[in-house]
Amino acid sequence: MDVRGTSQSINKIDADAIAVAVFKGEKPDDGVLKTLDKAVDRAITSIIKSEEFLAKEGETAYFHLTDSGLQAKRLLLIGCGERGEYGPRQISQMGGTATRFLRSKAAKTIAIVPRADGDVERVAQTVIGGAILGLFDPDKYRTREKEDRQVERFDVVIEGADQKALQRGAERGRIIGESANVTRDMANEPGGYLTPTEMADRAKQIAKQFGLAIDVLDQKQIEKLGMGSFLGVSRGSDEPPKLIVMKYTPAKKTKSDGLLALVGKGITFDSGGISLKPGENMELMKYDMSGAATVIGTMRAIAQLKPSIPVLGVAPCCENLPSGKATKPGDILRAMTGKTIEVINTDAEGRLILADAIAYAKKLGATQIIDMATLTGAVSIALGDVNTAILGTDQNLIDSFIAAGKEVGERFWQLPLDNDYTNQIKSDIADIKNVGGKKAGTITATAFLKEFADGVSWAHLDIAGTAWGDPATPFRSKGPTGVAVRTLVEFIERSAAQNAS
């Protein structure tokens, strides 16, 4: 994808269409809106005055330009709500709305005017990232009624701004947006296509393309490491498990001896195992590897952005299926750490594979771990599809991560993790059990993971409620969202900057 940052006047922009942000109560009496209003013979004034266009978030008004004095032939106004509430989330959504609306009108080159204050490099990154996210559609396997129209170029236009800063921001937005879309593409793949082996192969391709180190452990190696918790989930399937380990190492040695590890749940299809899920909507369980896909997408982005700290990515991948070999409720599994686990419900499998993956990240030297998983249905009851739950043992890490999310327009909400919740996962016949009853399901699942994250700075993201979007919105298709990729990249780059200071 070709992306450009330009500080030229709007009437010099050579693009098929121009998309411009408009705010509630705004009148086109100065700046770019005044220029555009003149180009459409004061039609903008007319639709605002008549209240046909109120500039509510996601609202649009579309014009064809003839004899306007502009090079562009089409104009799209995008409502962005109150000017005082216009932040990274709204800027990103404005970019996505521009993409989805104008692509449907066969525009191949789109100039976006975000009209945001502040750091122009950051604004360019945010709006182009949102525009790239708007390109994704889940119709990969359709043979008809498929969106085949392509956008060839995006321009982000901020008149009078630093051209180099705009271009840097546009390029960063492209990298991050494309990497999030890689995550979304994997999450959208049917379980019959994206097996653990195929997921490992895709990770290898990304590592080779962008210069990451990679190691993929097979079943024998996993067995040798004593990962009985991970293997207890995979043994119901004929597909062999894979443990994907990706490593980014900066060109220059850093001062810090610390190592950040990203760990993501990779259940490429989750039937629930012997504790079989209801059949309704089970097809969506192809997305249960979104945590692992998030790790891979994030590693793809940082390999190109090149922060100054090393990052480890660990993704345990397997299927959770019922068979004569499958783990049964009441079975005891022994994790890599030696801790024993009573399996109460085989559909609480994500925490079982993450337990061994977190332990392995520690074995590889991780001093800080962020894990992510479509872990619990309970998180959707608590937070819906608006905020992603974050919990952990390091408050500074949690606060920093939430702040990074605000900077890129992703929302995270901290849930408590008091020691009392651990009482719910105590087992009568083993060290712990894998479910703690109906109460506080998201928290007790995290309390389980906490048992394996001792000794390191650690946070957990439960993305079960936010990794899939339904219905479609003006700025995003229905389906995988790629949530947390942008925040993880921002957090890593902030950590690198702090380490360098």
Side-chain angles (χ1 to χ4, degrees), residues 260-265 291 294-295 314 350-351 354-355 357-358 368-375 388-392 397 401 445-446 449-450 453 457-463 484 488:
L260 169 65
L262 311 179
V263 180
K265 171 186 172 184
T294 301
V295 169
V314 181
R351 64 203 74 180
L354 286 174
I358 290 169
Q368 188 174 67
I369 297 174
I370 301 173
D371 79 74
M372 59 224 67
T374 48
L375 201 67
T388 297
I390 183 169
L391 308 89
L397 169 59
F401 196 86
T446 310
L449 296 177
K450 180 183 173 184
S457 165
W458 166 70
H460 162 69
L461 312 177
D462 193 334
I463 61 174
L488 286 162

Side-chain angles (χ1 to χ4, degrees), residues 32 64 106 130 155 164 176 187 192 196 198 217 232 304 310 322 352 358 398 407 461 469 475:
V32 68
H64 283 267
D155 295 342
K164 291 183 179 179
I176 296 167
E198 173 61 21
L217 280 62
Q304 297 172 76
L352 296 175
I358 290 169
I398 292 169
E407 188 64 40
L461 312 177
F475 58 88

Side-chain angles (χ1 to χ4, degrees), residues 335-499:
M336 179 181 173
T337 60
K339 192 162 290 188
T340 55
I341 304 162
E342 180 186 9
V343 177
I344 303 298
N345 187 325
T346 65
D347 194 25
E349 83 298 328
R351 64 203 74 180
L352 296 175
I353 70 170
L354 286 174
D356 279 336
I358 290 169
Y360 190 63
K362 289 167 57 178
K363 179 181 174 67
L364 294 179
T367 55
Q368 188 174 67
I369 297 174
I370 301 173
D371 79 74
M372 59 224 67
T374 48
L375 201 67
T376 66
V379 77
S380 296
I381 304 302
L383 298 177
D385 59 1
V386 176
N387 283 274
T388 297
I390 183 169
L391 308 89
T393 56
D394 184 337
Q395 193 60 47
N396 287 333
L397 169 59
I398 292 169
D399 290 344
S400 296
F401 196 86
I402 292 172
K406 288 180 179 177
E407 188 64 40
V408 299
E410 292 188 320
R411 293 174 283 190
F412 297 84
W413 191 266
Q414 184 178 3
L415 296 179
L417 192 59
D418 304 68
N419 289 332
D420 292 351
Y421 290 107
T422 302
N423 293 331
Q424 288 181 232
I425 60 166
K426 287 182 178 179
S427 168
D428 293 332
I429 62 170
D431 295 324
I432 52 176
K433 56 187 178 181
N434 76 326
V435 293
K438 292 183 179 180
K439 296 179 180 179
T442 299
I443 299 172
T444 55
T446 310
F448 180 94
L449 296 177
K450 180 183 173 184
E451 294 288 308
F452 301 88
D454 57 307
V456 296
S457 165
W458 166 70
H460 162 69
L461 312 177
D462 193 334
I463 61 174
T466 52
W468 192 272
D470 187 7
T473 68
F475 58 88
R476 187 189 65 208
S477 69
K478 175 181 177 179
T481 64
V483 69
V485 171
R486 289 175 289 171
T487 303
L488 286 162
V489 171
E490 177 69 18
F491 174 82
I492 290 165
E493 294 200 314
R494 287 183 171 206
S495 298
Q498 291 172 4
N499 185 60

Side-chain angles (χ1 to χ4, degrees), residues 122-145:
R122 171 68 67 177
V123 170
Q125 173 184 321
T126 303
V127 76
I128 290 296
I132 298 289
L133 290 172
L135 291 172
F136 178 85
D137 273 302
D139 59 1
K140 184 175 181 178
Y141 295 105
R142 278 188 185 168
T143 59
R144 58 183 181 178
E145 297 181 4

Side-chain angles (χ1 to χ4, degrees), residues 68-200:
S68 65
L70 302 179
Q71 293 191 49
K73 299 303 180 188
R74 285 169 275 175
L75 169 65
L76 177 67
L77 305 184
I78 300 177
C80 294
E82 299 289 348
R83 179 106 202 202
E85 298 174 4
Y86 189 54
R89 181 170 60 85
Q90 291 82 5
I91 295 169
S92 175
Q93 291 177 1
M94 182 265 175
T97 301
T99 296
R100 298 193 67 76
F101 188 100
L102 291 170
R103 183 181 61 178
S104 74
K105 305 299 183 184
K108 293 185 177 180
T109 56
I110 300 172
I112 305 175
V113 187
R115 302 183 69 219
D117 299 325
D119 182 343
V120 295
E121 182 173 344
R122 171 68 67 177
V123 170
Q125 173 184 321
T126 303
V127 76
I128 290 296
I132 298 289
L133 290 172
L135 291 172
F136 178 85
D137 273 302
D139 59 1
K140 184 175 181 178
Y141 295 105
R142 278 188 185 168
T143 59
R144 58 183 181 178
E145 297 181 4
K146 181 182 175 71
E147 180 57 83
D148 289 323
R149 288 168 288 199
Q150 301 295 320
V151 178
E152 297 174 355
R153 192 187 80 228
F154 289 111
D155 295 342
V156 56
V157 184
I158 303 178
E159 291 186 19
D162 183 325
Q163 183 83 22
K164 291 183 179 179
L166 279 174
Q167 188 60 41
R168 286 195 303 269
E171 281 295 327
R172 290 173 56 78
R174 178 190 63 79
I175 290 167
I176 296 167
E178 287 178 351
S179 295
N181 281 348
V182 166
T183 290
R184 297 166 80 189
D185 181 59
M186 285 191 284
N188 192 54
E189 287 283 14
Y193 290 175
L194 192 71
T195 63
T197 299
E198 173 61 21
M199 197 160 186

